[in-house]
Amino acid sequence: FRMYIEAAIDFPEEEIDFLADKGIMSRLKNIKTQLKQTLERANAGELLQHGVQIALVGEPNVGKSSLFNALIGSEAAIVTEIPGTTRDVIAQSINLDGLLIHLMDTAGIRKSEDVVEKIGIDRARQALASADLVLELRDSTIKKSKKLITSGTETNKVLTVYTKTDLINL
C-alpha cells in the first residue's frame, strides 16, 4: 500500500491512478476485518488474564447482597429488610471454573436525601460504569419494578435478573 501511495506521489504526471486499483480496497477491507478480529481476541485474553468485573446493581432490597453472599459462599455483605443497608461497594473475587470473577455488591440505586447513602449510590453508578458485566436485579414480586438502565453505552453489558421468584403467588 505504501508503494501505491508513493507511486501516486512520485509520478503525478503519469496518467495512471495507482490508488484506483479495485484490489487495493478489497485488501484494505480484509486487513480491517483481520484487525477487528485480533482486537476482539485480545480483549477476550485480557478478561481471561485479569478477570471479569461483575457489578450487582438495582433498587434497594432486590436481593443484591443475598446473591453476592450466595455467589462468594460466605456472609461478607450484611443482609436486612431495611432499605439502604448496603452503603458502599463490597468487592470479592471468586474463581469459577478457572475464570477469575471480581464481584461487586453495590448500594441500592434510588433518590435519597441521606448524604452517606448518596455517596454509596454514586459509587454504585461508578461500579456500573466500570464493570465488564452488570447484573441488574429486579424484584419479581413488584409488578411495576422499574428498569434502572434504559439507555447509554452500558445497555450492551447488562443482564436483567429477576429475584424473589419463590415469593410469587401463581
Side-chain angles (χ1 to χ4, degrees):
F1 298 115
R2 193 175 115 207
M3 177 187 70
Y4 281 110
I5 293 169
E6 285 182 10
I9 293 170
D10 290 345
F11 304 105
E13 66 280 349
E14 300 290 328
E15 294 194 20
I16 303 170
D17 189 358
F18 295 101
L19 301 177
D21 183 348
K22 292 180 183 175
I24 290 177
M25 289 309 290
S26 171
R27 293 192 323 227
L28 279 173
K29 285 180 185 176
N30 186 28
I31 288 173
K32 181 180 176 182
T33 301
Q34 289 176 9
L35 283 172
K36 186 176 179 179
Q37 291 171 347
T38 301
L39 283 173
E40 287 171 358
R41 285 193 303 270
N43 289 338
E46 178 76 16
L47 290 176
L48 287 173
Q49 185 174 10
H50 297 287
V52 179
Q53 295 230 21
I54 300 177
L56 306 176
V57 300
E59 294 180 304
N61 284 48
V62 295
K64 297 178 300 295
S65 295
S66 295
L67 178 60
F68 180 80
N69 287 342
L71 290 171
I72 66 169
S74 72
E75 300 295 316
I78 298 170
V79 176
T80 72
E81 292 185 18
I82 301 168
T85 299
T86 304
R87 293 189 168 216
D88 207 347
V89 176
I90 302 170
Q92 184 79 30
S93 296
I94 60 172
N95 186 314
L96 184 64
D97 292 332
L99 178 62
L100 183 60
I101 296 177
H102 306 287
L103 283 174
M104 296 179 283
D105 181 24
T106 64
I109 298 175
R110 66 176 173 175
K111 290 185 180 187
S112 176
E113 297 304 316
D114 184 288
V115 175
V116 176
E117 189 175 14
K118 280 183 178 181
I119 294 168
I121 293 167
D122 286 342
R123 290 184 181 182
R125 293 187 192 284
Q126 290 169 3
L128 162 69
S130 69
D132 299 309
L133 175 66
V134 175
L135 299 182
E136 180 184 8
L137 279 66
R138 295 175 65 190
D139 187 338
S140 59
T141 65
I142 299 173
K143 292 186 182 191
K144 294 195 177 186
S145 171
K146 65 181 178 182
K147 191 166 176 62
L148 293 175
I149 306 162
T150 56
S151 65
T153 57
E154 294 93 16
T155 57
N156 64 348
K157 63 180 183 179
V158 177
L159 179 64
T160 302
V161 177
Y162 289 92
T163 60
K164 305 182 184 181
T165 56
D166 56 320
L167 302 177
I168 297 176
N169 292 326
L170 297 176

